[in-house]
Amino acid sequence: MLPVTLTLNAGSSSLKFSLFDISGEPAQMAIGLVENIGGQPRLKANLGDRLARVERELPATEAADHTSALATVLALLRSSFPGAKASVVGHRVVHGGPHYTAPMVVTGQVMAELKRLSPFAPIHQPHNIAGIEAAQAAFPEALQVACFDTAFHRHHPKANDVFALPREYYDKGIRRYGFHGLSYEYVSEELKRTAPLIHAGRVVVAHLGNGASMCGILGGRSVASTMGFTALDGLPMGTRCGQVDPGVIFYMVQQEGRSIDEVRDIFYTKSGLLGLSGISNDMRVLESAGVPEANEAIDYFVFRIRRELGGLAAALGGLDALVFCGGIGENSRKIRRRICDGLDWIGLELDHDRNDSNTRVISTDFSRARIMVVPTNEEIVIARAAKRLSSGTEAAAG
Ligand code: ADP
């Protein structure tokens, strides 16, 4: 039997999955997702080189909730890879609270803690927990491993961990957690492997996707990030507002008479690129729209990234590299160019030809700091952790 690990990333109405061969360094065999769980679900999957791409509508009963969606995924994987045996399942979990600084085997105690943390990430954590419970039911023998988006940032210096609120709130867990940690960990490990001197230095990573954040990393450790208590802070995103003055909330509630749920909905789902443009949350659509509203949304996105870059470089005491990842960071040469142009004062000089050809290093040979594109891979970070923890458990049992 081929030892494999399944990685799961359960969202509100989606279940993303990957299958890795873990007989050696984890190698991806399949990737896919079920979307529109609870509605009119669709399955999309890519089952490796030799097998055809799968994309089809599912009967509503085959993905009515995360449990049935997982059963549908497993049926597909079992028929495609009959010789595979998953003894460990890795989960992306958005919130690990103040104490989880590394992936954890999910015990009853860990599960209780994840549930206790749900109010800190009410839009994501309950779905992550549903994913773990579905996997526990489907693989009662398997080890479940939780990998946290917050963990990479848990060594922030205190000044980057607090809000200037009354002290008791820090103890109640109101802290600057930071997110996208699995992506930052991947990029940082890639730098360690391919550019060790850069890894040892001062790096800002810009994870620019539908969700977007930036992180200042010093010698492989997160020092500061643009996301704070929730994944709402910092940069504008597809539909999330990023940083706003909290006074706006009071105004909407007290003067406009909106409920807190309405305000939350505006901040999470109607703002960002979508809200500003009034057109789309999708950068490709905005880039080709050619109308002032779309351009204004892009202008704001670029402006906030440049502003945060300055702040993070100050937090790091300088800059040795700026690294782009995420759907926009990896693909949009126009956005990268707009971010980097005129930043020679901070040591960044973009090579336009390299940028246009999407190579890994896109700065000139004379640029004091390097500009790079490193396609991220959060799933492999989860698969590596799952493998590591499962072999640790086997060793302990043996
Ligand atoms: P998520 O945060 O959901 O994982 P992704 O990392 O997949 O999101 O990023 C999605 C974003 O990347 C969308 O705004 C999409 O328009 C953008 N994107 C993908 N490819 C391109 C491209 N070639 N040019 C510009 N933007 C792109």
Side-chain angles (χ1 to χ4, degrees), residues 287-352:
E287 282 187 346
S288 57
V291 295
E293 293 83 357
N295 295 340
E296 274 174 31
I298 297 175
D299 288 349
Y300 182 69
F301 185 70
V302 169
F303 171 76
R304 294 301 309 202
I305 293 166
R306 288 165 62 94
R307 196 181 135 141
E308 295 290 351
L309 176 64
L312 290 170
L316 294 172
L319 189 65
D320 297 307
L322 168 64
V323 183
F324 289 103
C325 64
I328 300 171
E330 290 164 27
N331 297 298
S332 178
R333 59 200 166 87
K334 283 192 203 154
I335 297 289
R336 289 195 305 253
R337 182 172 181 155
R338 289 200 50 194
I339 292 169
C340 295
D341 270 352
L343 287 184
D344 31 341
W345 63 271
I346 207 171
L348 295 173
E349 196 178 273
L350 188 73
D351 182 314
H352 292 161

Short mmCIF file of all heavy atoms in Angstrom, two decimals, residues 287-352:
data_model
loop_
_atom_site.label_atom_id
_atom_site.label_comp_id
_atom_site.label_asym_id
_atom_site.label_seq_id
_atom_site.Cartn_x
_atom_site.Cartn_y
_atom_site.Cartn_z
N GLU A 287 -8.47 44.64 -14.32
CA GLU A 287 -7.37 45.06 -15.20
C GLU A 287 -7.86 45.28 -16.63
O GLU A 287 -7.34 46.12 -17.35
CB GLU A 287 -6.25 44.02 -15.19
CG GLU A 287 -5.37 44.12 -13.97
CD GLU A 287 -4.16 43.20 -14.06
OE1 GLU A 287 -4.12 42.31 -14.92
OE2 GLU A 287 -3.25 43.38 -13.22
N SER A 288 -8.85 44.50 -17.04
CA SER A 288 -9.29 44.65 -18.43
C SER A 288 -10.53 45.54 -18.56
O SER A 288 -10.99 45.79 -19.66
CB SER A 288 -9.55 43.27 -19.05
OG SER A 288 -10.49 42.59 -18.27
N ALA A 289 -11.06 46.03 -17.42
CA ALA A 289 -12.31 46.81 -17.48
C ALA A 289 -12.10 48.17 -18.15
O ALA A 289 -12.94 48.62 -18.93
CB ALA A 289 -12.90 46.99 -16.09
N GLY A 290 -10.98 48.83 -17.82
CA GLY A 290 -10.68 50.11 -18.46
C GLY A 290 -11.66 51.22 -18.14
O GLY A 290 -11.88 52.11 -18.95
N VAL A 291 -12.25 51.18 -16.95
CA VAL A 291 -13.15 52.28 -16.54
C VAL A 291 -12.59 52.89 -15.25
O VAL A 291 -11.87 52.23 -14.50
CB VAL A 291 -14.60 51.79 -16.31
CG1 VAL A 291 -15.21 51.29 -17.62
CG2 VAL A 291 -14.66 50.70 -15.26
N PRO A 292 -12.92 54.17 -14.98
CA PRO A 292 -12.29 54.86 -13.84
C PRO A 292 -12.50 54.13 -12.50
O PRO A 292 -11.58 54.09 -11.67
CB PRO A 292 -12.99 56.23 -13.82
CG PRO A 292 -13.56 56.41 -15.17
CD PRO A 292 -13.80 55.06 -15.75
N GLU A 293 -13.69 53.56 -12.29
CA GLU A 293 -13.96 52.91 -11.00
C GLU A 293 -13.01 51.72 -10.79
O GLU A 293 -12.51 51.50 -9.69
CB GLU A 293 -15.42 52.42 -10.93
CG GLU A 293 -16.46 53.53 -10.91
CD GLU A 293 -16.79 54.06 -12.30
OE1 GLU A 293 -16.19 53.61 -13.29
OE2 GLU A 293 -17.66 54.97 -12.38
N ALA A 294 -12.78 50.95 -11.84
CA ALA A 294 -11.87 49.80 -11.73
C ALA A 294 -10.45 50.30 -11.48
O ALA A 294 -9.72 49.75 -10.64
CB ALA A 294 -11.93 48.96 -13.01
N ASN A 295 -10.06 51.35 -12.18
CA ASN A 295 -8.70 51.89 -12.02
C ASN A 295 -8.50 52.44 -10.61
O ASN A 295 -7.43 52.28 -10.02
CB ASN A 295 -8.43 52.97 -13.06
CG ASN A 295 -8.43 52.38 -14.46
OD1 ASN A 295 -8.27 51.16 -14.62
ND2 ASN A 295 -8.63 53.22 -15.47
N GLU A 296 -9.54 53.07 -10.06
CA GLU A 296 -9.42 53.60 -8.70
C GLU A 296 -9.23 52.48 -7.68
O GLU A 296 -8.45 52.62 -6.73
CB GLU A 296 -10.69 54.38 -8.34
CG GLU A 296 -10.63 55.83 -8.78
CD GLU A 296 -11.95 56.56 -8.53
OE1 GLU A 296 -12.66 56.20 -7.57
OE2 GLU A 296 -12.25 57.45 -9.33
N ALA A 297 -9.95 51.39 -7.89
CA ALA A 297 -9.80 50.25 -6.97
C ALA A 297 -8.37 49.70 -7.04
O ALA A 297 -7.74 49.41 -6.01
CB ALA A 297 -10.82 49.15 -7.32
N ILE A 298 -7.83 49.60 -8.26
CA ILE A 298 -6.45 49.11 -8.41
C ILE A 298 -5.46 50.11 -7.81
O ILE A 298 -4.51 49.73 -7.12
CB ILE A 298 -6.13 48.85 -9.91
CG1 ILE A 298 -7.03 47.74 -10.45
CG2 ILE A 298 -4.66 48.47 -10.08
CD1 ILE A 298 -6.88 47.48 -11.94
N ASP A 299 -5.72 51.40 -8.02
CA ASP A 299 -4.84 52.44 -7.45
C ASP A 299 -4.75 52.28 -5.93
O ASP A 299 -3.68 52.36 -5.35
CB ASP A 299 -5.39 53.85 -7.73
CG ASP A 299 -5.23 54.26 -9.19
OD1 ASP A 299 -4.51 53.55 -9.93
OD2 ASP A 299 -5.84 55.28 -9.57
N TYR A 300 -5.91 52.07 -5.30
CA TYR A 300 -5.92 51.96 -3.84
C TYR A 300 -5.17 50.70 -3.39
O TYR A 300 -4.39 50.73 -2.43
CB TYR A 300 -7.36 51.95 -3.31
CG TYR A 300 -7.44 51.88 -1.80
CD1 TYR A 300 -7.03 52.96 -1.02
CD2 TYR A 300 -7.87 50.73 -1.16
CE1 TYR A 300 -7.07 52.89 0.37
CE2 TYR A 300 -7.92 50.65 0.23
CZ TYR A 300 -7.52 51.73 0.99
OH TYR A 300 -7.54 51.66 2.36
N PHE A 301 -5.40 49.59 -4.10
CA PHE A 301 -4.71 48.33 -3.78
C PHE A 301 -3.19 48.53 -3.82
O PHE A 301 -2.47 48.19 -2.88
CB PHE A 301 -5.16 47.29 -4.83
CG PHE A 301 -4.66 45.89 -4.61
CD1 PHE A 301 -5.14 45.12 -3.56
CD2 PHE A 301 -3.73 45.32 -5.48
CE1 PHE A 301 -4.70 43.82 -3.38
CE2 PHE A 301 -3.28 44.02 -5.31
CZ PHE A 301 -3.77 43.27 -4.25
N VAL A 302 -2.72 49.13 -4.90
CA VAL A 302 -1.28 49.34 -5.08
C VAL A 302 -0.74 50.32 -4.02
O VAL A 302 0.31 50.08 -3.41
CB VAL A 302 -1.00 49.87 -6.51
CG1 VAL A 302 0.45 50.35 -6.64
CG2 VAL A 302 -1.30 48.80 -7.54
N PHE A 303 -1.49 51.39 -3.79
CA PHE A 303 -1.05 52.40 -2.81
C PHE A 303 -0.87 51.77 -1.43
O PHE A 303 0.13 52.01 -0.75
CB PHE A 303 -2.09 53.54 -2.76
CG PHE A 303 -1.84 54.51 -1.64
CD1 PHE A 303 -0.82 55.45 -1.72
CD2 PHE A 303 -2.62 54.47 -0.49
CE1 PHE A 303 -0.58 56.34 -0.68
CE2 PHE A 303 -2.38 55.35 0.55
CZ PHE A 303 -1.36 56.28 0.47
N ARG A 304 -1.84 50.94 -1.01
CA ARG A 304 -1.75 50.37 0.34
C ARG A 304 -0.59 49.38 0.44
O ARG A 304 0.06 49.28 1.49
CB ARG A 304 -3.06 49.65 0.71
CG ARG A 304 -4.26 50.55 0.87
CD ARG A 304 -4.13 51.63 1.91
NE ARG A 304 -3.70 51.19 3.21
CZ ARG A 304 -3.92 51.87 4.34
NH1 ARG A 304 -4.60 53.01 4.31
NH2 ARG A 304 -3.47 51.42 5.49
N ILE A 305 -0.32 48.67 -0.64
CA ILE A 305 0.80 47.72 -0.61
C ILE A 305 2.12 48.48 -0.47
O ILE A 305 2.98 48.12 0.34
CB ILE A 305 0.80 46.84 -1.89
CG1 ILE A 305 -0.42 45.93 -1.87
CG2 ILE A 305 2.08 46.03 -2.01
CD1 ILE A 305 -0.72 45.25 -3.20
N ARG A 306 2.27 49.55 -1.22
CA ARG A 306 3.51 50.34 -1.15
C ARG A 306 3.67 50.95 0.25
O ARG A 306 4.77 50.99 0.81
CB ARG A 306 3.50 51.43 -2.22
CG ARG A 306 3.69 50.88 -3.62
CD ARG A 306 3.33 51.88 -4.69
NE ARG A 306 4.12 53.08 -4.68
CZ ARG A 306 5.22 53.29 -5.43
NH1 ARG A 306 5.65 52.34 -6.23
NH2 ARG A 306 5.86 54.43 -5.37
N ARG A 307 2.55 51.42 0.79
CA ARG A 307 2.61 52.02 2.12
C ARG A 307 3.01 50.99 3.18
O ARG A 307 3.86 51.25 4.05
CB ARG A 307 1.22 52.59 2.43
CG ARG A 307 1.20 53.54 3.56
CD ARG A 307 -0.22 53.99 3.78
NE ARG A 307 -0.45 53.95 5.20
CZ ARG A 307 -1.14 54.84 5.88
NH1 ARG A 307 -1.73 55.83 5.26
NH2 ARG A 307 -1.27 54.75 7.17
N GLU A 308 2.41 49.81 3.10
CA GLU A 308 2.75 48.75 4.07
C GLU A 308 4.19 48.28 3.88
O GLU A 308 4.85 47.90 4.85
CB GLU A 308 1.79 47.56 3.93
CG GLU A 308 0.36 47.87 4.28
CD GLU A 308 0.13 48.11 5.77
OE1 GLU A 308 1.06 47.88 6.57
OE2 GLU A 308 -0.98 48.57 6.12
N LEU A 309 4.66 48.28 2.64
CA LEU A 309 6.04 47.86 2.39
C LEU A 309 7.00 48.77 3.16
O LEU A 309 7.95 48.29 3.80
CB LEU A 309 6.33 47.92 0.88
CG LEU A 309 7.76 47.61 0.47
CD1 LEU A 309 8.13 46.17 0.82
CD2 LEU A 309 7.96 47.84 -1.03
N GLY A 310 6.73 50.08 3.10
CA GLY A 310 7.58 51.01 3.85
C GLY A 310 7.54 50.71 5.34
O GLY A 310 8.58 50.68 6.01
N GLY A 311 6.33 50.47 5.86
CA GLY A 311 6.19 50.19 7.28
C GLY A 311 6.89 48.91 7.70
O GLY A 311 7.57 48.86 8.74
N LEU A 312 6.75 47.88 6.89
CA LEU A 312 7.37 46.59 7.24
C LEU A 312 8.89 46.68 7.13
O LEU A 312 9.61 46.10 7.95
CB LEU A 312 6.81 45.47 6.35
CG LEU A 312 5.35 45.11 6.62
CD1 LEU A 312 4.80 44.18 5.54
CD2 LEU A 312 5.18 44.45 8.00
N ALA A 313 9.37 47.41 6.12
CA ALA A 313 10.82 47.58 5.99
C ALA A 313 11.37 48.30 7.23
O ALA A 313 12.44 47.96 7.74
CB ALA A 313 11.16 48.34 4.71
N ALA A 314 10.61 49.27 7.73
CA ALA A 314 11.03 49.98 8.95
C ALA A 314 11.05 49.00 10.13
O ALA A 314 11.97 49.02 10.95
CB ALA A 314 10.10 51.15 9.23
N ALA A 315 10.04 48.15 10.21
CA ALA A 315 10.00 47.16 11.31
C ALA A 315 11.17 46.19 11.23
O ALA A 315 11.66 45.70 12.25
CB ALA A 315 8.67 46.40 11.27
N LEU A 316 11.65 45.92 10.01
CA LEU A 316 12.76 44.97 9.82
C LEU A 316 14.12 45.65 9.91
O LEU A 316 15.15 44.99 9.92
CB LEU A 316 12.65 44.30 8.44
CG LEU A 316 11.46 43.37 8.20
CD1 LEU A 316 11.41 42.95 6.74
CD2 LEU A 316 11.57 42.14 9.09
N GLY A 317 14.12 46.98 9.89
CA GLY A 317 15.40 47.71 9.89
C GLY A 317 16.07 47.69 8.54
O GLY A 317 17.30 47.77 8.43
N GLY A 318 15.29 47.58 7.47
CA GLY A 318 15.85 47.57 6.11
C GLY A 318 15.21 46.45 5.30
O GLY A 318 14.31 45.76 5.80
N LEU A 319 15.70 46.29 4.08
CA LEU A 319 15.05 45.33 3.19
C LEU A 319 16.09 44.63 2.32
O LEU A 319 16.89 45.29 1.66
CB LEU A 319 14.04 46.09 2.31
CG LEU A 319 13.11 45.26 1.45
CD1 LEU A 319 12.16 44.43 2.32
CD2 LEU A 319 12.30 46.17 0.52
N ASP A 320 16.07 43.29 2.32
CA ASP A 320 16.94 42.53 1.42
C ASP A 320 16.18 41.91 0.26
O ASP A 320 16.77 41.60 -0.76
CB ASP A 320 17.69 41.43 2.20
CG ASP A 320 18.61 42.04 3.24
OD1 ASP A 320 19.42 42.91 2.87
OD2 ASP A 320 18.48 41.70 4.44
N ALA A 321 14.86 41.71 0.46
CA ALA A 321 14.07 41.15 -0.65
C ALA A 321 12.59 41.43 -0.46
O ALA A 321 12.09 41.47 0.67
CB ALA A 321 14.29 39.64 -0.77
N LEU A 322 11.93 41.62 -1.60
CA LEU A 322 10.46 41.67 -1.64
C LEU A 322 10.04 40.47 -2.48
O LEU A 322 10.51 40.29 -3.60
CB LEU A 322 9.99 42.97 -2.30
CG LEU A 322 8.51 43.04 -2.68
CD1 LEU A 322 7.61 42.97 -1.44
CD2 LEU A 322 8.20 44.34 -3.45
N VAL A 323 9.18 39.63 -1.91
CA VAL A 323 8.75 38.40 -2.60
C VAL A 323 7.25 38.45 -2.83
O VAL A 323 6.49 38.71 -1.90
CB VAL A 323 9.10 37.14 -1.77
CG1 VAL A 323 8.73 35.87 -2.54
CG2 VAL A 323 10.57 37.12 -1.39
N PHE A 324 6.84 38.18 -4.06
CA PHE A 324 5.42 38.15 -4.40
C PHE A 324 4.92 36.72 -4.46
O PHE A 324 5.60 35.83 -5.00
CB PHE A 324 5.18 38.78 -5.79
CG PHE A 324 5.36 40.26 -5.82
CD1 PHE A 324 6.53 40.82 -6.34
CD2 PHE A 324 4.38 41.11 -5.34
CE1 PHE A 324 6.70 42.20 -6.39
CE2 PHE A 324 4.54 42.49 -5.38
CZ PHE A 324 5.70 43.03 -5.90
N CYS A 325 3.70 36.49 -3.94
CA CYS A 325 3.03 35.21 -4.14
C CYS A 325 1.52 35.44 -4.13
O CYS A 325 1.06 36.57 -3.99
CB CYS A 325 3.46 34.18 -3.09
SG CYS A 325 2.99 34.61 -1.41
N GLY A 326 0.73 34.37 -4.28
CA GLY A 326 -0.73 34.48 -4.39
C GLY A 326 -1.12 34.75 -5.85
O GLY A 326 -0.26 35.08 -6.67
N GLY A 327 -2.39 34.57 -6.16
CA GLY A 327 -2.87 34.65 -7.55
C GLY A 327 -2.46 35.93 -8.25
O GLY A 327 -2.02 35.91 -9.41
N ILE A 328 -2.57 37.07 -7.57
CA ILE A 328 -2.21 38.35 -8.19
C ILE A 328 -0.68 38.50 -8.21
O ILE A 328 -0.08 38.85 -9.23
CB ILE A 328 -2.86 39.53 -7.43
CG1 ILE A 328 -4.39 39.40 -7.46
CG2 ILE A 328 -2.43 40.87 -8.03
CD1 ILE A 328 -5.13 40.38 -6.55
N GLY A 329 -0.05 38.22 -7.08
CA GLY A 329 1.40 38.37 -6.97
C GLY A 329 2.16 37.48 -7.94
O GLY A 329 3.20 37.85 -8.47
N GLU A 330 1.62 36.27 -8.18
CA GLU A 330 2.32 35.33 -9.06
C GLU A 330 2.06 35.60 -10.53
O GLU A 330 2.85 35.20 -11.38
CB GLU A 330 1.87 33.89 -8.73
CG GLU A 330 2.39 33.41 -7.39
CD GLU A 330 1.66 32.17 -6.88
OE1 GLU A 330 1.13 31.39 -7.70
OE2 GLU A 330 1.61 32.00 -5.64
N ASN A 331 0.93 36.26 -10.83
CA ASN A 331 0.52 36.35 -12.24
C ASN A 331 0.44 37.74 -12.83
O ASN A 331 0.54 37.87 -14.05
CB ASN A 331 -0.86 35.69 -12.42
CG ASN A 331 -0.82 34.22 -12.09
OD1 ASN A 331 -0.11 33.47 -12.75
ND2 ASN A 331 -1.55 33.81 -11.08
N SER A 332 0.20 38.75 -12.01
CA SER A 332 -0.05 40.06 -12.61
C SER A 332 1.22 40.90 -12.70
O SER A 332 1.63 41.55 -11.74
CB SER A 332 -1.11 40.83 -11.83
OG SER A 332 -1.27 42.09 -12.45
N ARG A 333 1.83 40.88 -13.90
CA ARG A 333 3.04 41.68 -14.07
C ARG A 333 2.73 43.16 -13.96
O ARG A 333 3.55 43.95 -13.52
CB ARG A 333 3.73 41.34 -15.39
CG ARG A 333 2.88 41.56 -16.60
CD ARG A 333 3.39 40.78 -17.79
NE ARG A 333 2.40 40.75 -18.83
CZ ARG A 333 2.25 41.69 -19.76
NH1 ARG A 333 3.07 42.72 -19.79
NH2 ARG A 333 1.32 41.59 -20.67
N LYS A 334 1.49 43.55 -14.35
CA LYS A 334 1.13 44.97 -14.28
C LYS A 334 1.09 45.46 -12.84
O LYS A 334 1.60 46.53 -12.52
CB LYS A 334 -0.27 45.18 -14.89
CG LYS A 334 -0.29 45.16 -16.38
CD LYS A 334 -1.65 45.66 -16.87
CE LYS A 334 -1.93 45.14 -18.27
NZ LYS A 334 -3.36 45.05 -18.58
N ILE A 335 0.49 44.67 -11.96
CA ILE A 335 0.41 45.08 -10.55
C ILE A 335 1.81 45.09 -9.94
O ILE A 335 2.18 46.03 -9.23
CB ILE A 335 -0.53 44.13 -9.76
CG1 ILE A 335 -1.95 44.22 -10.30
CG2 ILE A 335 -0.48 44.44 -8.27
CD1 ILE A 335 -2.69 45.50 -10.01
N ARG A 336 2.61 44.07 -10.23
CA ARG A 336 3.98 44.05 -9.67
C ARG A 336 4.74 45.29 -10.13
O ARG A 336 5.46 45.92 -9.37
CB ARG A 336 4.70 42.77 -10.12
CG ARG A 336 4.17 41.51 -9.46
CD ARG A 336 5.15 40.36 -9.64
NE ARG A 336 5.50 40.11 -11.01
CZ ARG A 336 5.07 39.07 -11.73
NH1 ARG A 336 4.29 38.17 -11.17
NH2 ARG A 336 5.44 38.91 -12.97
N ARG A 337 4.57 45.63 -11.41
CA ARG A 337 5.30 46.79 -11.94
C ARG A 337 4.85 48.07 -11.23
O ARG A 337 5.67 48.91 -10.85
CB ARG A 337 5.04 46.89 -13.44
CG ARG A 337 5.77 48.03 -14.09
CD ARG A 337 5.63 47.97 -15.59
NE ARG A 337 6.36 49.08 -16.18
CZ ARG A 337 6.83 49.08 -17.40
NH1 ARG A 337 6.67 48.04 -18.16
NH2 ARG A 337 7.49 50.12 -17.86
N ARG A 338 3.54 48.19 -11.04
CA ARG A 338 3.03 49.41 -10.40
C ARG A 338 3.49 49.48 -8.94
O ARG A 338 3.72 50.56 -8.41
CB ARG A 338 1.51 49.45 -10.50
CG ARG A 338 1.06 49.72 -11.93
CD ARG A 338 -0.34 50.24 -11.98
NE ARG A 338 -0.55 51.34 -11.08
CZ ARG A 338 -1.74 51.82 -10.73
NH1 ARG A 338 -2.82 51.26 -11.23
NH2 ARG A 338 -1.86 52.82 -9.89
N ILE A 339 3.59 48.33 -8.29
CA ILE A 339 4.06 48.34 -6.89
C ILE A 339 5.53 48.75 -6.84
O ILE A 339 5.94 49.54 -5.99
CB ILE A 339 3.86 46.94 -6.24
CG1 ILE A 339 2.37 46.64 -6.08
CG2 ILE A 339 4.59 46.85 -4.89
CD1 ILE A 339 2.05 45.21 -5.71
N CYS A 340 6.33 48.23 -7.76
CA CYS A 340 7.79 48.37 -7.64
C CYS A 340 8.35 49.64 -8.28
O CYS A 340 9.43 50.09 -7.90
CB CYS A 340 8.49 47.17 -8.25
SG CYS A 340 8.16 45.64 -7.38
N ASP A 341 7.64 50.22 -9.23
CA ASP A 341 8.21 51.38 -9.92
C ASP A 341 8.44 52.53 -8.94
O ASP A 341 7.60 52.82 -8.09
CB ASP A 341 7.29 51.82 -11.07
CG ASP A 341 7.66 51.12 -12.37
OD1 ASP A 341 8.71 50.43 -12.39
OD2 ASP A 341 6.92 51.26 -13.35
N GLY A 342 9.60 53.13 -9.04
CA GLY A 342 9.93 54.28 -8.18
C GLY A 342 10.33 53.89 -6.77
O GLY A 342 10.31 54.72 -5.87
N LEU A 343 10.67 52.63 -6.55
CA LEU A 343 11.08 52.22 -5.19
C LEU A 343 12.59 52.04 -5.08
O LEU A 343 13.06 51.34 -4.19
CB LEU A 343 10.36 50.92 -4.79
CG LEU A 343 8.86 51.06 -4.45
CD1 LEU A 343 8.31 49.73 -3.98
CD2 LEU A 343 8.64 52.11 -3.36
N ASP A 344 13.34 52.69 -5.98
CA ASP A 344 14.80 52.56 -5.87
C ASP A 344 15.31 53.16 -4.56
O ASP A 344 16.33 52.75 -4.03
CB ASP A 344 15.52 53.18 -7.08
CG ASP A 344 14.77 54.34 -7.67
OD1 ASP A 344 13.56 54.46 -7.39
OD2 ASP A 344 15.38 55.15 -8.37
N TRP A 345 14.56 54.11 -3.98
CA TRP A 345 15.00 54.71 -2.71
C TRP A 345 15.07 53.66 -1.60
O TRP A 345 15.81 53.81 -0.63
CB TRP A 345 14.06 55.86 -2.30
CG TRP A 345 12.64 55.42 -2.05
CD1 TRP A 345 11.64 55.34 -2.96
CD2 TRP A 345 12.07 54.98 -0.81
NE1 TRP A 345 10.49 54.89 -2.39
CE2 TRP A 345 10.73 54.66 -1.06
CE3 TRP A 345 12.57 54.83 0.49
CZ2 TRP A 345 9.88 54.19 -0.07
CZ3 TRP A 345 11.72 54.37 1.48
CH2 TRP A 345 10.40 54.05 1.20
N ILE A 346 14.30 52.56 -1.76
CA ILE A 346 14.34 51.51 -0.73
C ILE A 346 15.21 50.33 -1.21
O ILE A 346 15.31 49.30 -0.56
CB ILE A 346 12.91 51.07 -0.36
CG1 ILE A 346 12.83 50.53 1.05
CG2 ILE A 346 12.32 50.08 -1.31
CD1 ILE A 346 11.42 50.27 1.53
N GLY A 347 15.84 50.53 -2.40
CA GLY A 347 16.77 49.51 -2.89
C GLY A 347 16.17 48.55 -3.89
O GLY A 347 16.80 47.56 -4.25
N LEU A 348 14.94 48.81 -4.37
CA LEU A 348 14.28 47.87 -5.28
C LEU A 348 14.28 48.42 -6.70
O LEU A 348 13.77 49.52 -6.93
CB LEU A 348 12.83 47.63 -4.84
CG LEU A 348 12.63 46.96 -3.49
CD1 LEU A 348 11.15 46.94 -3.13
CD2 LEU A 348 13.19 45.53 -3.49
N GLU A 349 14.86 47.65 -7.62
CA GLU A 349 14.87 48.07 -9.02
C GLU A 349 14.35 46.91 -9.87
O GLU A 349 15.00 45.86 -9.97
CB GLU A 349 16.30 48.43 -9.43
CG GLU A 349 16.36 49.22 -10.70
CD GLU A 349 17.81 49.59 -11.02
OE1 GLU A 349 18.30 50.63 -10.52
OE2 GLU A 349 18.46 48.82 -11.75
N LEU A 350 13.17 47.11 -10.43
CA LEU A 350 12.52 46.04 -11.20
C LEU A 350 13.14 45.94 -12.60
O LEU A 350 13.37 46.96 -13.26
CB LEU A 350 11.02 46.35 -11.32
CG LEU A 350 10.14 45.27 -11.93
CD1 LEU A 350 9.96 44.11 -10.96
CD2 LEU A 350 8.75 45.85 -12.30
N ASP A 351 13.38 44.69 -13.04
CA ASP A 351 13.78 44.46 -14.43
C ASP A 351 12.50 44.15 -15.21
O ASP A 351 11.87 43.11 -14.99
CB ASP A 351 14.75 43.27 -14.48
CG ASP A 351 15.26 42.99 -15.89
OD1 ASP A 351 14.43 42.97 -16.82
OD2 ASP A 351 16.48 42.80 -16.05
N HIS A 352 12.10 45.07 -16.08
CA HIS A 352 10.79 44.93 -16.73
C HIS A 352 10.70 43.68 -17.61
O HIS A 352 9.65 43.04 -17.67
CB HIS A 352 10.45 46.19 -17.51
CG HIS A 352 10.21 47.36 -16.60
ND1 HIS A 352 10.25 48.67 -17.00
CD2 HIS A 352 9.94 47.42 -15.27
CE1 HIS A 352 10.01 49.47 -15.97
NE2 HIS A 352 9.83 48.73 -14.91
#
